[in-house]
Amino acid sequence: MTAEHRALADRGAELVELRVDWLSRPPDLNRLITDRPTPVIITCRRASDKGHWKEGEDQRKTLLRAAIVAGVEYVDLEEDVAASIPRYGKTKRIISYHNFDETPLDLDEIHARLSKLDPDVVKIATMANSPNDNIRMLKLVAEAKIPTAGFCMGELGVLSRILTGRYGSPFTYATWSADRTLAPGQLTFDQMRDVFHYDSIDRETKIYGVLGDPIAHSMSPLIHNKAFEKAGLNSVYIPFRVPQDALSLTLDSFSWLDVQGYSVTLPHKEAVLSKVLKGDEATREIGAANTLYRKPNGDWRAANTDYDAAMQSLRLGLESGLQDGTGGHLAGKKVLLLGAGGAARAIGLGIIRAGCGLMISNRTKNRAVELATSLKCQQVPWENRGTVFADILINCTSVGMHPSVDESPFVQNWLREGMLVFDTIYNPEQTLLIKQARDRGCKTVTGIEMFVRQAARQFELFTGLEPPLDIMRETLRQAISPVRLN
Ligand code: NAP
């Protein structure tokens, strides 16, 4: 614990909570706090509070009193013991309440009770069961007269951990490392500092984020926050986990946060359109949006930047073939598109509009027929996909995505030299399809290009500024490479 404490101080932590209940035997307090490299909070949780303390309650209280006598900066005292451990010296009292099941409706009453127990800081940590629980919690923090570290736990609560300081919390909680998560939904110290720039978030910080479910592994926060940082903007981009049936209520309740823009991912890409009526023509035709942004007059607009990004990526691939005579314009090319989901619909429309001949092939035939009918193009049975002639092959299925990296939706010897192969999958970047296409002398475009370009266009819509494309691409590549090695 002392080694980790020192390492955290070296990494820039200004306050460290020592969870002494996690030590395998009762702690030698002096050893832990003598020459401590940062101010500390001494916390010792009982099993009934999801802690690991194995000794009796008397020993626990003795330990907490000893910490106060030794002059540690903070002690954490649960509501029921706060009155029996009096204030002494300079040690500040954090009076805490935890609820691992829910965010109760009577948060104000709980706060009022804790406030009567001589706190310097009130800590309230509750389980979020809906995105709106975060808003109730952050309102409490914003209105509290006593400094209040209030946030929600669980994956649905991540936003409140990142934003609690914006509304006046003296600090937030993060873990030493990803494999040492002490409470559900906790981010690591490095994520809080390096991705979300927690210490720079203030009342002026503009809030953006991505709406989706699941959202924990989204790369969008990483590259958007990097772009904000590069552009010197006081803005933060947050993963908003929003269950399918909660979209409408969440957008209403998030108006309190004054969110300036959203990226939208599965399963909300279609549903957001009914919430925001105004979108550009392509977005309406695709029937799905991946972006909600605000016009200067505050009105919301929907856009589909996947569409533009895919078409830009394709053109880039064609241009790279210009030197050896295999490239050229999109118009007139024959395109075989694998898949019939959301990505296929957006890209298929772009292909048709660019004047290409489009063929759609999908594992589930009726989805292929449906999409081909709506785009007025040809449908190729899945088992025949290797037999048709195409200048361009586009993979819009999830076959080959991490962790199934040894799979490809197209057999290698179906690939022809000079063909352009575009795999929309970006994790990994070098999918089996891309590797095999290169071996067969095909031109290739990876999903990284599309992902970065759809995010870059969002950045442009959000901020009106030129996006730092290269930095965004590099950030994504760096983040993905360790996953690829797993
Ligand atoms: P989606 O709506 O869920 O569609 C998934 C597609 O994959 C369906 O056509 C499905 O076929 C097919 N599929 C899944 N497993 C399959 C298997 N074992 N064999 C054959 N086909 C299979 O998802 P989406 O949003 O369109 O995304 C599809 C892909 O595009 C994903 O890999 C995603 O990473 C990629 N994408 C990339 C970007 C980017 O920016 N680079 C953006 C969006 C999407 P069935 O109809 O038979 O189920």
Side-chain angles (χ1 to χ4, degrees):
M1 194 173 267
T2 52
E4 289 183 0
H5 187 178
R6 243 175 274 122
L8 274 169
D10 290 345
R11 278 151 67 183
E14 292 169 28
L15 175 65
V16 172
E17 179 183 50
L18 301 179
R19 279 291 298 268
V20 294
D21 54 303
W22 277 71
L23 294 166
S24 52
R25 49 199 159 87
D28 177 346
L29 194 62
N30 278 335
R31 225 180 118 199
L32 283 177
I33 60 176
T34 306
D35 298 329
R36 56 188 176 278
T38 70
V40 292
I41 302 171
I42 296 293
T43 301
C44 183
R45 292 259 183 270
R46 298 162 289 204
S48 56
D49 297 320
K50 297 225 189 297
H52 291 254
W53 183 248
K54 292 182 197 73
E55 313 296 318
E57 181 62 356
D58 286 346
Q59 286 96 321
R60 194 175 78 96
K61 287 188 187 168
T62 303
L63 178 82
L64 291 168
R65 287 192 192 103
I68 295 171
V69 170
V72 301
E73 287 74 16
Y74 292 91
V75 284
D76 182 305
L77 305 172
E78 300 85 5
E79 186 180 2
D80 63 305
V81 299
S84 61
I85 302 182
R87 176 181 292 278
Y88 174 78
K90 288 189 179 156
T91 302
K92 292 187 171 158
R93 294 157 58 86
I94 299 173
I95 310 299
S96 66
Y97 169 89
H98 293 79
N99 187 325
F100 290 90
D101 298 321
E102 59 170 356
T103 300
L105 291 175
D106 58 346
L107 278 182
D108 287 335
E109 283 163 39
I110 293 166
H111 191 274
R113 270 192 344 245
L114 300 178
S115 300
K116 288 189 188 131
L117 293 166
D118 188 20
D120 293 284
V121 174
V122 168
K123 178 187 179 192
I124 302 191
T126 60
M127 183 59 71
N129 294 323
S130 81
N132 186 44
D133 286 344
N134 293 284
I135 306 301
R136 292 199 292 117
M137 181 61 82
L138 292 174
K139 280 182 181 168
L140 178 88
V141 173
E143 286 159 16
K145 301 279 180 295
I146 295 171
T148 297
F151 55 86
C152 292
M153 297 182 282
E155 215 198 308
L156 286 168
V158 167
L159 82 97
S160 62
R161 291 180 180 275
I162 299 169
L163 289 180
T164 188
R166 185 179 199 259
Y167 297 99
S169 171
F171 42 74
T172 193
Y173 288 76
T175 59
W176 148 259
S177 71
D179 53 0
R180 200 72 68 73
T181 304
L182 301 185
Q186 242 177 7
L187 299 172
T188 65
F189 175 74
D190 291 346
Q191 284 174 313
M192 273 292 185
R193 185 189 53 184
D194 301 336
V195 179
F196 299 105
H197 306 289
Y198 178 84
D199 286 328
S200 316
I201 298 175
D202 56 27
R203 278 312 257 265
E204 305 306 315
T205 304
K206 290 188 171 161
I207 299 173
Y208 299 84
V210 52
L211 301 164
D213 190 16
I215 207 65
H217 298 292
S218 169
M219 294 290 165
S220 296
L222 203 63
I223 62 174
H224 278 282
N225 281 313
K226 185 55 85 178
F228 288 151
E229 180 190 342
K230 182 67 190 163
L233 296 173
N234 183 7
S235 300
V236 65
Y237 184 102
I238 293 170
F240 295 128
R241 186 181 151 217
V242 177
Q244 182 147 26
D245 57 359
L247 180 71
S248 187
L249 280 178
T250 301
L251 286 173
D252 291 342
S253 75
F254 279 15
S255 63
W256 183 79
L257 295 174
D258 197 23
V259 177
Q260 300 296 308
Y262 293 103
S263 305
V264 183
T265 188
L266 299 176
H268 302 306
K269 285 186 172 187
E270 284 90 24
V272 284
L273 272 186
S274 56
K275 193 76 188 165
V276 176
L277 296 173
K278 290 180 186 149
D280 56 39
E281 196 194 331
T283 306
R284 287 198 310 273
E285 207 168 323
I286 295 162
N290 74 334
T291 313
L292 300 181
Y293 66 103
R294 291 175 103 163
K295 303 288 282 181
N297 67 2
D299 283 357
W300 284 97
R301 285 281 187 286
N304 192 315
T305 69
D306 280 341
Y307 168 87
D308 287 335
M311 298 316 290
Q312 283 173 12
S313 305
L314 263 180
R315 291 203 166 88
L316 206 73
L318 283 177
E319 279 161 20
S320 73
L322 279 176
Q323 301 87 359
D324 57 13
T326 57
H329 297 292
L330 266 175
K333 295 270 190 294
K334 285 198 171 352
V335 178
L336 174 60
L337 192 145
L338 306 178
R345 174 170 292 278
I347 296 178
L349 180 71
I351 295 291
I352 294 280
R353 286 183 157 198
C356 300
L358 178 63
M359 297 167 282
I360 289 174
S361 188
N362 188 54
R363 177 183 62 174
T364 306
K365 187 176 174 186
N366 61 358
R367 293 186 77 195
V369 171
E370 206 176 295
L371 183 57
T373 308
S374 83
L375 293 176
K376 300 189 182 57
C377 69
Q378 194 187 333
Q379 186 270 136
V380 174
W382 185 243
E383 56 282 8
N384 295 348
R385 66 196 185 286
T387 63
V388 296
F389 174 87
D391 302 298
I392 300 173
L393 173 73
I394 306 175
N395 177 32
C396 285
T397 75
S398 45
V399 182
M401 197 158 81
H402 182 83
S404 306
V405 295
D406 297 326
E407 294 173 12
S408 166
F410 210 69
V411 176
Q412 184 167 21
N413 58 23
W414 294 344
L415 294 162
R416 247 182 341 93
E417 190 180 345
M419 205 178 188
L420 174 65
V421 176
F422 173 25
D423 196 341
T424 61
I425 291 174
Y426 60 89
N427 187 9
E429 179 175 18
Q430 307 302 326
T431 58
L432 184 61
L433 174 62
I434 290 286
K435 285 191 224 160
Q436 293 184 336
R438 277 209 195 103
D439 288 350
R440 298 281 290 185
C442 304
K443 304 284 163 209
T444 56
V445 181
T446 72
I448 288 257
E449 205 51 49
M450 175 178 165
F451 188 80
V452 168
R453 283 171 188 273
Q454 61 79 27
R457 177 70 187 130
Q458 290 180 333
F459 178 90
E460 219 176 323
L461 291 171
F462 290 161
T463 65
L465 301 173
E466 178 92 5
L469 198 63
D470 291 342
I471 297 241
M472 294 171 89
R473 188 185 293 110
E474 200 39 48
T475 304
L476 181 62
R477 282 216 168 103
Q478 270 178 19
I480 280 169
S481 46
V483 177
R484 211 165 57 218
L485 295 176
N486 277 342

